[in-house]
Structure formats: C-alpha cells, structure tokens
Amino acid sequence: MLKILFKLPFYGLLYRYGFPRIFPCSYTVSVTYRCNSKCNTCRVYQRDASELSLSEYRQVFKSLGHSPYWVTFSGGEPSIREDFADIVIAFYDICRPAIINIPSNGILTDRIAHHITQICEHCRKSKIIVNLSLDAIGEQHDKIRNVPDNYTLALSTYRKLKSLTYKNLFIGIHSVISKFNIKNFTGIVNNLLNLQPDQYITEIAERRNELLNTRFDITPSITNYKSAVDFLIHRIKHTHIKSRLNRITQAFRIEYYTLVTKILRDEKQVIPCFSGINSIQIGAEGDVWTCCVKAMSVGNLRSVGYDFGQVWRGDLLKQERASIKNKECHCPLANAAYTNMLQDVRTLFRVFCRVFFGWWR
C-alpha cells in the first residue's frame, strides 16, 4: 500500500501536466473473450480474437516491470483458457503484484479449482481474490445467464474454493445490478450474504463497447439503483467489522455506491477520472484501452514488439487522456472508480473519518 501512496502525487502530475509518464498501478488483462455464459447484460462472447499466447504475454509482462500493484485477469471466462494458471504465474514471477483478482462465472468447477490451486501454490506473496458472479438465486440467475444449472454449478465452485486452506486466498461474490434483478435485489443480497463470502461486491450493469451491449436496455433507473445501494450501505454501516483493513475496504464501497448514484443523476464525471493514468486495460489481442467502456485502442502490443512503454508514451494515449480530462465521457466503471477515489482528497478524508473515528453516518 505504501508503494501506491508514494505514486499518487506523480499520477496527479501526469493528469495535470502530462509528466512524468510513470506506468499505472492497476491493470486489467482480458485473457479471452470466450465465455460459457450468455448473459442478458453482456455479449462479449460474440467477440472474435486472436488471443495473445503465453510466450507473448511473458514479453508484455517483462515490459511492465514491477509497476503493477493490482491486476485483474478477466474475460469472457478466464478459466476457459487451459493455460490460464500459467499466464497468472508468469505475471507473478515477472511483475510481483500485491493483489491478483480473478472474476469467474463458476461453471467449470474442477478446472477453476485446479487453476486456483496452482496459482495459490505458486503466488504465495500475492493476495489472490476470486470473485464468483452470482446475479440472483436459483433459476433467476440461470435465466439472467442463459445457462441451465449455472447457479448450482457456481455454488459447487464456491464451496470447493472455500474448502481450500491457502492463507492468501479470498473468495468473494460479485453481483451485477441490472434491470433483470433490481426488483428483488434486497432478497438476493440477503441470500448471498448468508453464504458468508470473504467479500461481497456489486457493480451496476452498463453499456460498454467491450461487451457489445450498447444497443440493449440493461441499466436500472436511478431510483431503483439508489434504493438497492441504500440497502447495501445500511448493511455495511450496521455490520461489526473488526479488521481495520476491512473497514477501509467497506468505507471505499460506501463511497463507490454513492459516487455511482451521483454519476447516474448528473450524467457527468463527479470526480476526475484517471483512466489511462493509474489504470489501464489490455485486451485479448493485445489492444491497449484506457477503459473497457469506450474500448478504444490506443495501440496494439503486437505491433510494437510487446513493449507497453511505446504505447504508454504514444500520441494516441496522450489524446485519450486529454479527452478524459476534458470530461468528454463519464461512467460508473468500478475498476476505474476505485483508483479514481484514491486521487480525490475529499473521498480520502471521508474514508479516513469512517475508519478511524467510526463516522459511518
């Protein structure tokens, strides 16, 4: 964490003046767009991609050095790749991230458990977070995901992963709040929390170019969303949290839920966005994006000999940073929002007060 705090002022300088061009601390690496879920909120499985190979990933990771603090390996469904654990292990060996985050739909129980076992055995100095996607309970979840028995399979995966005894492994549950589950979301939350995950996180369904879902009406109304997150905030505020680290995490969650409500209401950036500065995404074919909402390539790693620095210092990314700084876009993307909040003094002050003075209300 001290590594991140040290870098924050430099990201602020890069945002304001364009230098120094230090590498981001948060990376999202999409290893595939293939997916065995066919969600109502997502069409990423319709994307074709000539995926980067393991040897190509190694070259990319070498160009990142030790800059990554947090990495998310996403898809599609990451476990579809048979070499998925090898990719994560290569990243760990080369980049030494503090946190490795892996979202999964939980369908391929045995394969997922095998991958995670390999990763935990090898990546002992990183915190491994696996977030299983559960958007509803039972058949409702299956209908949202358009896969029979998806809920049953995901629960089986959850129990299998929870039975693993690695000290660096944390199993969470992730829900997408959409028009398909908003009406009974409080009941869904209560049921999922009864499973006692190590963390429970939510993200609002949004139209993203990466997901090929921009033509679909999936985002709940601001009134319905606010009602759902008010309930989540109430649960956080009235849950006794012993660990200071968990209190910090939950304080940032309250800030995120409040931030999304404001973005939906005002339809503009509420706090400055640092996408393309302290966070970046690498697509399955090597395209570099500031974020997955716009999914606009600012360079392809294959075309520059897998040297991330060439893309990072390129004119296209410079232009995209200027567009974001000019507030020509806005979105409630969670990955970007959490890193953005680290750069916002008022947000950090509220988090500090909640954690150290019990200022929850």
Side-chain angles (χ1 to χ4, degrees):
M1 182 55 73
L2 290 177
K3 179 181 177 181
I4 297 297
L5 294 176
F6 174 77
K7 286 185 173 182
L8 293 182
F10 295 101
Y11 291 133
L13 290 172
L14 178 55
Y15 178 84
R16 290 171 180 82
Y17 305 112
F19 67 87
R21 296 185 187 177
I22 62 170
F23 281 6
C25 58
S26 175
Y27 292 79
T28 298
V29 180
S30 296
V31 296
T32 185
Y33 301 131
R34 290 176 286 160
C35 194
N36 43 4
S37 282
K38 303 294 182 283
C39 303
N40 293 336
T41 57
C42 174
R43 303 294 189 280
V44 73
Y45 57 86
Q46 295 177 353
R47 277 185 172 271
D48 292 322
S50 174
E51 298 167 359
L52 292 174
S53 66
L54 176 59
S55 62
E56 288 179 302
Y57 272 121
R58 285 198 178 103
Q59 294 180 72
V60 172
F61 298 159
K62 286 177 183 178
S63 75
L64 303 179
H66 286 180
S67 63
Y69 179 83
W70 176 299
V71 60
T72 296
F73 286 99
S74 71
E77 169 54 41
S79 67
I80 282 180
R81 285 195 63 147
E82 293 185 2
D83 60 352
F84 174 60
D86 296 326
I87 293 171
V88 177
I89 288 170
F91 191 94
Y92 173 81
D93 285 342
I94 296 167
C95 300
R96 296 292 175 174
I99 299 171
I100 298 172
N101 182 52
I102 302 168
S104 174
N105 60 27
I107 292 176
L108 301 173
T109 299
D110 291 338
R111 179 182 288 192
I112 293 167
H114 178 65
H115 284 318
I116 299 305
T117 298
Q118 287 182 297
I119 292 167
C120 290
E121 285 281 356
H122 190 90
C123 309
R124 291 186 177 272
K125 293 186 178 180
S126 290
K127 181 178 181 179
I128 313 298
I129 304 172
V130 181
N131 284 314
L132 292 174
S133 298
L134 288 171
D135 296 334
I137 308 301
E139 290 185 3
Q140 185 186 8
H141 177 72
D142 298 346
K143 289 178 180 178
I144 292 173
R145 297 273 164 162
N146 289 302
V147 176
D149 298 323
N150 192 333
Y151 183 77
T152 300
L153 292 167
L155 279 188
S156 176
T157 301
Y158 176 80
R159 295 186 180 107
K160 193 158 191 173
L161 293 179
K162 287 288 278 185
S163 70
L164 299 177
T165 57
Y166 300 102
K167 291 182 179 179
N168 61 333
L169 177 62
F170 301 83
I171 309 302
I173 293 176
H174 174 274
S175 296
V176 175
I177 304 177
S178 70
K179 283 197 167 183
F180 305 104
N181 61 7
I182 191 68
K183 290 183 179 179
N184 58 340
F185 192 72
T186 56
I188 293 169
V189 171
N190 286 329
N191 274 277
L192 294 179
L193 288 178
N194 285 338
L195 296 173
Q196 298 184 325
D198 295 321
Q199 65 174 20
Y200 178 69
I201 60 176
T202 69
E203 188 168 3
I204 190 168
E206 56 185 320
R207 294 168 176 166
R208 302 181 187 176
N209 286 327
E210 179 199 24
L211 304 183
L212 302 179
N213 64 359
T214 55
R215 297 183 293 108
F216 301 95
D217 184 19
I218 58 175
T219 307
S221 69
I222 183 173
T223 301
N224 288 337
Y225 178 77
K226 188 176 186 307
S227 176
V229 297
D230 282 349
F231 174 74
L232 287 170
I233 292 172
H234 174 81
R235 287 293 302 256
I236 292 172
K237 289 181 176 180
H238 291 84
T239 299
H240 179 63
I241 305 169
K242 294 182 180 179
S243 164
R244 180 169 290 174
L245 179 61
N246 285 340
R247 289 203 299 272
I248 293 172
T249 301
Q250 297 295 50
F252 272 107
R253 292 230 171 90
I254 291 174
E255 290 297 322
Y256 171 68
Y257 297 143
T258 305
L259 177 64
V260 173
T261 303
K262 291 178 180 178
I263 292 172
L264 292 176
R265 181 194 65 200
D266 299 342
E267 296 185 345
K268 66 178 183 180
Q269 288 184 25
V270 175
I271 61 176
C273 180
F274 282 71
S275 290
I277 293 178
N278 60 16
S279 64
I280 204 76
Q281 180 153 347
I282 299 173
E285 291 187 290
D287 286 312
V288 177
W289 304 330
T290 55
C291 74
C292 63
V293 175
K294 298 177 76 172
M296 189 189 82
S297 178
V298 294
N300 184 279
L301 293 167
R302 279 176 170 150
S303 67
V304 294
Y306 309 101
D307 181 4
F308 177 79
Q310 285 196 44
V311 177
W312 189 247
R313 294 184 291 270
D315 290 337
L316 285 176
L317 186 46
K318 183 179 179 180
Q319 293 168 15
E320 188 62 11
R321 289 191 191 111
S323 172
I324 295 170
K325 182 180 177 181
N326 290 334
K327 300 186 178 182
E328 295 171 10
C329 59
H330 65 274
C331 75
L333 180 66
N335 275 0
Y338 283 105
T339 50
N340 292 343
M341 288 189 289
L342 289 174
Q343 302 288 155
D344 185 66
V345 174
R346 288 173 296 182
T347 299
L348 293 178
F349 175 74
R350 289 192 296 269
V351 168
F352 178 85
C353 290
R354 287 192 173 106
V355 172
F356 292 96
F357 300 111
W359 180 36
W360 290 95
R361 300 181 189 281

